[in-house]
């Protein structure tokens, strides 16, 4: 019985940590290294021919998404990193968008876990489709 209580306390503790853990802009707000489209188990990279206003339009779409905030950067800076939290557990996912001429480089990734079950790819594709 003690073992079950320990597991429960650890699970609740982890869930609490996920909700309040600080996001360090130095770690997460970096120019995305994107030279081709790719999907990994907990991340997605996309290159989009967007025109020079792509980041501004992308920003409008991203900011219209529930539970999404800006971690760092701005459209004027040419790079923005967003934090989108899941509805139930408030897991943070980070999406960095960088305007490189007419190309928009997008990198979405999870902070916790090894697999995101396609959540980042779905969000990024939805945002791209809305452009």
């Amino acid at each position: 019985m003690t073992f079950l209580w320990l597991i429960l306390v650890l699970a609740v503790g982890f869930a609490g940590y996920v909700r309040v853990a600080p996001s360090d802009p130095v770690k997460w707000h970096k120019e995305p290294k994107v030279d081709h489209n790719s999907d990994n188990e907990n991340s997605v990279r996309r290159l989009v021919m967007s025109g020079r206003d792509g980041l501004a339009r992308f920003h409008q779409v991203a900011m219209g998404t529930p539970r999404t905030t800006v971690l760092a950067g701005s459209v004027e800076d040419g790079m923005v990193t967003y934090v989108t939290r899941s509805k139930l557990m408030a897991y943070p996912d980070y999406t960095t968008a960088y305007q490189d001429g007419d190309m928009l480089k997008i990198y979405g990734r999870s902070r916790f876990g090894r697999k995101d079950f396609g959540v980042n790819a779905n969000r990024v594709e939805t945002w791209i489709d809305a452009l």
Side-chain angles (χ1 to χ4, degrees), residues 65-87:
T65 303
R67 300 172 308 281
T68 298
T69 59
V70 171
L71 173 65
S74 69
V75 172
E76 294 75 24
D77 292 341
M79 184 169 73
V80 184
T81 298
Y82 306 91
V83 179
T84 304
R85 292 191 171 268
S86 64
K87 189 172 185 175

Side-chain angles (χ1 to χ4, degrees), residues 53-103:
D53 67 338
L55 182 57
R57 291 183 289 121
F58 188 85
H59 181 72
Q60 288 179 333
V61 171
M63 294 310 299
T65 303
R67 300 172 308 281
T68 298
T69 59
V70 171
L71 173 65
S74 69
V75 172
E76 294 75 24
D77 292 341
M79 184 169 73
V80 184
T81 298
Y82 306 91
V83 179
T84 304
R85 292 191 171 268
S86 64
K87 189 172 185 175
L88 181 62
M89 294 296 293
Y91 285 116
D93 290 330
Y94 300 92
T95 305
T96 301
Y98 172 72
Q99 188 73 53
D100 187 6
D102 287 337
M103 295 296 289

Side-chain angles (χ1 to χ4, degrees), residues 4-16:
L4 291 176
W5 278 109
L6 178 63
I7 296 297
L8 180 63
V9 167
L10 289 174
V12 169
F14 179 73

